[in-house]
């Protein structure tokens, strides 16, 4: 078994706030004020989208480097959606500062569906939970 990522959270005094650590990186999570939080940091679904956005950007850059392509600067805008029936989905919109031909756009869309985090989300992941003694 190989662990490829690790995050720990410690609760803070504010009702919904916590301090996260991943390796040497420390950051805060909280809920917005409209949900009774202090809005001291991104909420959990924001971090989920941030992981997907980061993985998408890194994968596209790696592919471009491998194929000696230049996409220029680009951005990725993600939204986590839910409807009244409880269906959930993510929208991901890419914007490039360079004009791309249709073949390149098609390849980029194909690559986006193959990023590691995309594949994890699409197939689902088992979560094993225990309590330390």
């Amino acid at each position: 078994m190989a662990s490829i990522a690790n995050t720990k959270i410690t609760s803070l005094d504010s009702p919904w706030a916590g301090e996260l650590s991943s390796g040497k990186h420390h950051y805060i999570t909280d809920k917005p004020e409209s949900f009774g939080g202090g809005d001291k940091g991104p909420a959990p679904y924001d971090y989920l989208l941030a992981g997907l956005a980061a993985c998408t950007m890194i994968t596209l850059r790696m592919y471009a480097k491998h194929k000696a392509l230049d996409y220029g600067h680009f951005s990725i805008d993600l939204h986590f959606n839910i409807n009244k029936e409880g269906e959930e989905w993510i929208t991901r919109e890419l914007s490039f500062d360079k004009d791309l031909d249709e073949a390149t756009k098609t390849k980029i869309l194909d690559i986006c569906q193959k990023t590691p985090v995309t594949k994890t989300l699409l197939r689902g992941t088992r979560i094993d939970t225990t309590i330390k003694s």
Side-chain angles (χ1 to χ4, degrees):
M1 176 180 82
S3 176
I4 63 168
N6 177 284
T7 297
K8 180 179 181 177
I9 189 166
T10 303
S11 61
L12 298 175
D13 290 337
S14 300
W16 315 122
E19 181 181 2
L20 294 148
S21 63
S22 297
K24 64 181 179 179
H25 306 285
H26 296 271
Y27 39 103
I28 300 294
T29 186
D30 200 357
K31 293 294 275 178
E33 290 176 359
S34 60
F35 286 92
D39 204 16
K40 295 178 182 177
Y45 279 106
D46 296 318
Y47 281 114
L48 178 76
L49 292 180
L52 178 59
C55 185
T56 302
M57 187 261 326
I58 290 168
T59 303
L60 288 173
R61 284 184 148 180
M62 289 174 71
Y63 179 81
K65 181 178 180 181
H66 176 71
K67 296 292 186 177
L69 301 171
D70 182 11
Y71 299 147
H73 291 282
F74 61 94
S75 63
I76 305 166
D77 188 25
L78 293 104
H79 295 270
F80 192 94
N81 305 283
I82 187 168
N83 64 19
K84 63 183 178 181
E85 289 81 26
E87 294 173 304
E88 300 173 329
W89 71 98
I90 295 170
T91 56
R92 174 172 47 191
E93 182 179 63
L94 290 81
S95 300
F96 294 84
D97 70 355
K98 288 187 144 198
D99 288 330
L100 304 174
D101 61 41
E102 289 305 312
T104 301
K105 290 178 184 179
T106 299
K107 185 62 179 173
I108 287 170
L109 292 174
D110 182 55
I111 293 165
C112 285
Q113 289 304 107
K114 295 177 182 174
T115 73
V117 172
T118 299
K119 288 165 66 173
T120 295
L121 290 170
L122 289 173
R123 77 174 161 258
T125 302
R126 184 182 83 215
I127 300 173
D128 299 327
T129 306
T130 61
I131 297 176
K132 283 185 177 181
S133 300

